[in-house]
Every structure is written in C-alpha cells, then in structure tokens.
C-alpha cells in the first residue's frame, strides 16, 4: 500500500540553510495533508498541515506547499537548526490517514 | 489537555503467545487510529474507529489481530497468536475531526522472540 511516498530516506543540510522535504500521493480522495516530526522512542508530533483548498501554509520557519495537479507536497524549513534533526513523516487524510516512509533530516552545525 | 495515553510502553513475548495493548484517546476525539510501525518504515494503518464503529480495517490481519473500542472511548488491540514479524511499535492516535491534526501516544514497543 504505497498511497503516500517519500522517496528520499535521508537529507543532510547545513545549519541556517533551507531544508526541503518532498512527498507524493496517489489517491485523489485525500484532501488534508500533514507533516509530523518523530524523535526516537516517542510518538510522532504534529508539525504543520494544509487543506486541499490551499496551496501554501506557513507557520514560523515551516512552510508546506501543495501542488494538487501533481499530487505533490513539500515541507520547507528556513532556516534549518540542529534541533530540527529528526525523522519527518508526510501524511495524507480523507477519509483515513496514511503515512509515507519518512525522511531522516540531519542539520549540521 | 491530557494527551493520548498508551500502555504498556514495552512488551516482550514469545511467538504464539497473546498480547493486548490499551489506548485512551484525548477526551472528545471521535476518531481513533491504531498504526503498526516496523523499524525503518512509516506507520501503517491497522484500523480506524469513528466513535465505536469501524471505518477502515482493510490492513488489519484479521486472522490474528482484533481491536475494539467500547463506548467510543478507550480502545484495545490484541494479537493472538503473535508471530516474529509482529515485532514493531504500535501507535494509537486520536483526532477531533477529519480536517484537524491527529495526536499520537508514545507507542508500545512489542518484541516477539
């Protein structure tokens, strides 16, 4: 079941630069999209979301972009900080909620 | 606001034994999910409840897994009998409505030996 795909298992960026995490989905029924951050031994923590009626949502250093025609969304983190190092999961919702495989982000000082 | 509570945090059992996990969602959240997360993979949806009714259990291995949500609040997930490949973290999440964020518990790490 690969309705949500994160094709980059890992990403390494320098502190202060931009991190861009990508996600693709296949099911047109999805109408709400979320990004979660996960540290080891903890449950996923909600980061930011976007409804299908929007193409951009911003919250501080985090911005999510949605391209419905391409069934693609991305998470931008600017500027990246070492504390952002974690695994990031993309999720797509409607009516159930499915997750991608995750991208491990490492921000180097 | 109290978060999603799960217990136990860790469980080690032998194959063919039974195990049960418990989840207490955030008060008022009608939607409850159980996910299985195998190491290195994303969370895989096992079952979704809306109040005490099942919305989606298409990926639940029904020959060995069962789940219930009595009175539309707490939920239990059971595995009987367990196999080695069931070793994973089992995550419970709850949600107020479809277009809001879901909140996760800390998960139960199951090791089947």
């Amino acid at each position: 079941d690969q309705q949500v795909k994160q094709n980059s298992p890992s990403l390494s960026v320098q502190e202060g630069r931009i991190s861009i995490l990508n996600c693709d989905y296949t099911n047109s029924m999805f109408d709400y999209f979320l990004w979660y951050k996960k540290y080891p031994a903890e449950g996923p923590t909600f980061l930011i979301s976007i409804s299908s009626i929007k193409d951009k949502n911003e919250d501080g250093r985090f911005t999510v972009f949605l391209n419905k025609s391409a069934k693609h969304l991305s998470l931008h983190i600017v500027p990246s900080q070492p504390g952002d190092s974690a695994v990031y999961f993309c999720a797509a919702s409607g009516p159930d909620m499915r997750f991608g495989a995750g991208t491990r982000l490492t921000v180097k000082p | 606001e109290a978060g999603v509570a799960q217990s136990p945090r860790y469980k080690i059992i032998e194959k063919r034994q039974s195990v049960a996990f418990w989840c207490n969602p955030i008060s008022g959240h009608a939607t409850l999910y159980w996910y299985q997360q195998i190491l290195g993979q994303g969370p895989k949806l096992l079952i979704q409840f809306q109040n005490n009714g099942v919305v989606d259990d298409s990926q639940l291995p029904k020959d060995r897994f069962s789940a219930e949500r009595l009175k539309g609040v707490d939920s239990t997930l059971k595995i009987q009998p367990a196999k080695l490949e069931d070793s994973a973290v089992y995550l419970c999440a709850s949600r107020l409505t479809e277009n809001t964020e879901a909140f996760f518990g800390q998960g139960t790490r199951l090791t089947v030996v």
Side-chain angles (χ1 to χ4, degrees):
Chain A
D1 180 69
Q2 286 280 288
Q3 296 187 42
V4 181
K5 295 181 184 178
Q6 292 177 257
N7 291 320
S8 298
S10 62
L11 175 67
S12 182
V13 300
Q14 208 66 35
E15 181 179 7
R17 306 295 292 268
I18 184 171
S19 295
I20 300 176
L21 294 89
N22 294 302
C23 178
D24 297 291
Y25 62 96
T26 57
N27 191 339
S28 300
M29 294 292 289
F30 292 137
D31 59 5
Y32 193 73
F33 304 88
L34 310 95
W35 284 95
Y36 283 83
K37 182 177 178 180
K38 190 178 184 305
Y39 294 114
E42 294 182 10
T45 303
F46 171 74
L47 199 55
I48 192 169
S49 62
I50 187 167
S51 166
S52 60
I53 62 173
K54 295 185 175 181
D55 55 17
K56 177 182 174 181
N57 188 27
E58 206 169 341
D59 183 1
R61 296 186 297 113
F62 303 91
T63 303
V64 56
F65 295 92
L66 175 63
N67 182 334
K68 275 177 38 181
S69 60
K71 294 190 176 68
H72 177 83
L73 63 154
S74 60
L75 174 68
H76 293 209
I77 306 174
V78 183
S80 301
Q81 299 173 354
D84 295 331
S85 298
V87 178
Y88 289 78
F89 291 100
C90 164
S93 174
D96 59 16
M97 189 167 66
R98 306 284 174 133
F99 282 79
T103 297
R104 180 177 298 279
L105 173 65
T106 303
V107 181
K108 297 179 178 178
Chain B
E1 168 178 88
V4 176
Q6 287 190 248
S7 68
R9 284 296 312 274
Y10 305 93
K11 189 75 176 178
I12 300 174
I13 62 172
E14 294 183 349
K15 58 183 179 183
R16 292 187 290 272
Q17 284 188 322
S18 302
V19 65
F21 313 127
W22 173 81
C23 173
N24 185 4
I26 292 173
S27 177
H29 283 195
T31 304
L32 185 148
Y33 307 88
W34 282 102
Y35 288 89
Q36 178 193 58
Q37 187 174 17
I38 293 172
L39 189 64
Q41 300 181 17
K44 172 188 168 185
L45 179 65
L46 292 177
I47 189 166
Q48 176 182 342
F49 291 96
Q50 184 72 18
N51 296 308
N52 60 348
V54 175
V55 172
D56 183 352
D57 63 357
S58 57
Q59 298 192 100
L60 186 74
K62 297 179 187 64
D63 58 334
R64 299 184 300 106
F65 285 64
S66 64
E68 61 181 7
R69 190 182 184 195
L70 299 176
K71 301 181 182 178
V73 182
D74 292 5
S75 178
T76 55
L77 176 70
K78 295 179 183 178
I79 308 175
Q80 179 180 11
K83 292 185 175 181
L84 295 176
E85 59 260 36
D86 298 332
S87 294
V89 175
Y90 290 84
L91 294 162
C92 177
S94 72
R95 200 176 192 183
L96 186 61
T97 67
E98 258 188 41
N99 290 344
T100 58
E101 66 265 36
F103 294 86
F104 281 83
Q106 288 189 297
T108 296
R109 179 175 296 278
L110 173 68
T111 303
V112 182
V113 297

